[in-house]
Amino acid sequence: MTDPWVALEPGADPAERVRVLRRAHETFTTVGAVPRPVRSVVAESWRRSARAGVVPDGTASVELSDGDLGAYRAEHPLAQVMPLFRELMGTFAADDEQLLAVCDAQGRLLWVEGHPAARRRADGMNFVPGARWSEAAVGTNAPGTAVALGRPVQVFAAEHFTRRVQPWTCVAAPVHDPRTGRVLGAVDVTGGDGLAHPHSLGFVQAVARAAEAQLALLAPVRPAADTPKLGALGRDEAELALGGRRIRLSRRHSEIVLLLSRHPEGLTGDELLCALYADESVTPVTLRAELARLRRLLGPELLASRPYRLTAAVDADATVVERRLGSGALTAAMEVYAGPLLPGSQAPAIVRLRERLARELRAALIAHRDPDLLADWAHAPWGEDDVEVWRALAAMRPSAPVRERLAALEAELAAPVVRMRARGGGATYLQRPPA
């Protein structure tokens, strides 16, 4: 190939190229060697796919559906440029019996639109909104490989790792956040062999660049002091992003800022004392000293008194999780949940918040019955001894490691036990007493 990023050279016989690629794919899936006719970008993607455990006869799984999908799409930055995608690509896709698809940075398809016949055919391989099409999920494919590499890519016929996708050809380009440069997702056209042409690669790349330009125009002009953001999940000491600064708060200051962020009307000194200290002997003088140090750190323009309150809204990550849970966007909530809320805190109000958030999130996971989300929780430090989640995961995905872990936990339940409160997890687990 003169251009390794173009799937099919002009004048090449598509049928012969398909036959060569199918033999190469069979060789790779049988003995692990990649024959020379395979493009280097495809060979490297096949190797990544195999290392990820993708099987050639597998299919994509749908991760987002119904309310989850709608809520997640509504919040995603690429929703702002969907009208542009439809204007530039919609007619092209519909007229040629092709599909316009847009995925997020994890390869999840958010929109799949186009010719009705093509959509019906694509349904058979789960090329549908909400399905995960990352390389790690289904192997080599244009949207998944584009977000993995961060550049435009064509995938022709049997270059796809999964056999079910090999009748298709697709071309995709990543879309980047114009301010940060991070990949937001990719725009893709999926259809027949005619897409394996240099022009389609350039066209989709131009559409992605137009989307990035549109996002730059739509981005609000941010004042120097942006909305303060508080990161308190999975951290003993919260981080406050304030006016371009990142401030690491002490444990007590983390508790105060979190509580005040949830009470914009403010809290009296007595209310803060009750919320922060289980020991009733702690005096108001101790609290006033903490607040004085916090005011010096944040500035008097943010922390006011009588009652104690924050003068600007602070967006806490725990609140984002609650908001997404409330709207039914469980997957989006899990993406923000980095661990228990201030796990080392023993402040009574923080303990209640932490346990309630973990309890509601666990209940939603078990009810939702998504094996990937359950596995994310079960394999996290706060979920490794969570028997209920492991039971739910075993019911959905009874692999040998899952069954083995559940059996070990069940054995602990059957033995003489002591009750222990998992650090910050919000649930009570049973463990053997020390010998």
Side-chain angles (χ1 to χ4, degrees):
M1 300 291 292
T2 56
D3 184 347
W5 296 98
V6 176
L8 194 65
E9 291 181 328
D13 180 358
E16 175 59 26
R17 182 67 179 163
V18 168
R19 285 192 291 271
V20 170
L21 287 171
R22 282 180 177 163
R23 289 195 298 268
H25 184 269
E26 185 65 25
T27 299
F28 177 76
T29 56
T30 303
V31 301
V34 183
R36 185 180 299 275
V38 178
R39 292 186 292 151
S40 59
V41 62
V42 173
E44 292 164 4
S45 177
W46 282 3
R47 294 187 186 102
R48 288 194 300 271
S49 304
R51 287 196 298 269
V54 180
V55 294
D57 293 318
T59 190
S61 62
V62 177
E63 292 190 351
L64 297 170
S65 59
D66 303 329
D68 266 352
L69 176 63
Y72 184 68
R73 288 198 301 199
E75 290 188 4
H76 199 278
L78 292 181
Q80 301 175 84
V81 290
M82 272 307 296
L84 176 69
F85 289 148
R86 293 182 179 114
E87 180 182 353
L88 296 178
M89 304 176 71
T91 302
F92 165 76
D95 289 348
D96 291 339
E97 295 194 14
Q98 295 165 351
L99 298 173
L100 159 65
V102 177
C103 72
D104 68 6
Q106 289 73 45
R108 284 182 296 243
L109 298 179
L110 303 182
W111 292 271
V112 179
E113 302 176 357
H115 195 278
R119 291 194 64 179
R120 286 192 295 271
R121 289 172 52 219
D123 288 349
M125 61 178 183
N126 266 0
F127 195 78
V128 295
R132 183 185 285 272
W133 277 75
S134 64
E135 273 193 351
V138 293
T140 309
N141 69 92
T145 302
V147 296
L149 297 179
R151 64 150 296 147
V153 64
Q154 286 180 338
V155 179
F156 169 69
E159 289 181 335
H160 288 95
F161 190 83
T162 303
R163 292 189 180 95
R164 190 173 297 185
V165 193
Q166 290 180 351
W168 299 81
T169 292
C170 49
V171 55
V175 180
H176 298 83
D177 186 316
R179 292 171 298 169
T180 67
R182 70 183 179 92
V183 173
L184 297 173
V187 58
D188 165 87
V189 176
T190 291
D193 293 350
L195 288 174
H197 190 283
H199 292 167
S200 69
L201 192 67
F203 171 62
V204 174
Q205 185 173 13
V207 171
R209 297 295 169 267
E212 291 169 354
Q214 181 78 352
L215 287 170
L217 291 173
L218 293 173
V221 179
R222 296 174 179 259
D226 200 356
T227 301
K229 292 180 173 56
L230 184 70
L233 290 170
R235 308 171 61 102
D236 285 334
E237 295 181 330
E239 183 179 82
L240 180 66
L242 175 64
R245 296 184 296 154
R246 291 192 173 273
I247 305 170
R248 184 173 179 174
L249 303 174
S250 70
R251 182 174 296 182
R252 187 62 75 196
H253 288 168
S254 301
E255 296 164 348
I256 293 171
V257 174
L258 177 62
L259 289 173
L260 293 181
S261 74
R262 302 178 67 85
H263 293 276
E265 75 284 1
L267 294 171
T268 66
D270 287 342
E271 288 172 331
L272 268 178
L273 271 176
C274 292
L276 293 170
Y277 300 100
D279 184 356
E280 296 182 359
S281 66
V282 176
T283 66
V285 174
T286 300
L287 176 59
R288 284 198 295 269
E290 289 286 2
L291 287 161
R293 286 190 285 269
L294 180 59
R295 184 178 286 108
R296 287 194 296 270
L297 183 65
L298 303 183
E301 67 279 1
L302 183 60
L303 180 58
S305 58
R306 298 181 183 176
Y308 295 109
R309 66 193 186 280
L310 298 172
T311 58
V314 172
D315 196 14
D317 52 2
T319 305
V320 174
V321 172
E322 290 176 321
R323 188 163 60 239
R324 293 183 177 183
L325 265 182
S327 68
L330 178 57
T331 301
M334 281 290 289
E335 288 184 345
V336 178
Y337 190 79
L341 178 64
L342 296 177
S345 173
Q346 297 302 313
I350 301 298
V351 171
R352 289 193 295 272
L353 287 172
R354 180 172 64 228
E355 294 187 352
R356 187 184 71 197
L357 182 61
R359 183 172 61 250
E360 291 176 353
L361 194 51
R362 289 174 69 251
L365 285 171
I366 293 169
H368 194 67
R369 296 171 60 81
D370 183 310
D372 291 324
L373 295 181
L374 287 166
D376 287 344
W377 183 278
H379 289 99
W382 55 87
E384 58 187 5
D385 295 325
D386 192 329
V387 180
E388 292 181 30
V389 169
W390 280 99
R391 285 172 178 160
L393 179 59
M396 299 299 299
R397 183 177 288 166
S399 65
V402 171
R403 293 199 306 269
E404 182 179 348
R405 179 58 183 157
L406 178 59
L409 292 174
E410 297 281 13
E412 291 182 7
L413 282 172
V417 295
V418 292
R419 288 191 174 271
M420 296 185 65
R421 179 71 64 178
R423 184 176 182 269
T428 300
Y429 305 101
L430 300 179
Q431 296 186 356
R432 289 176 178 169

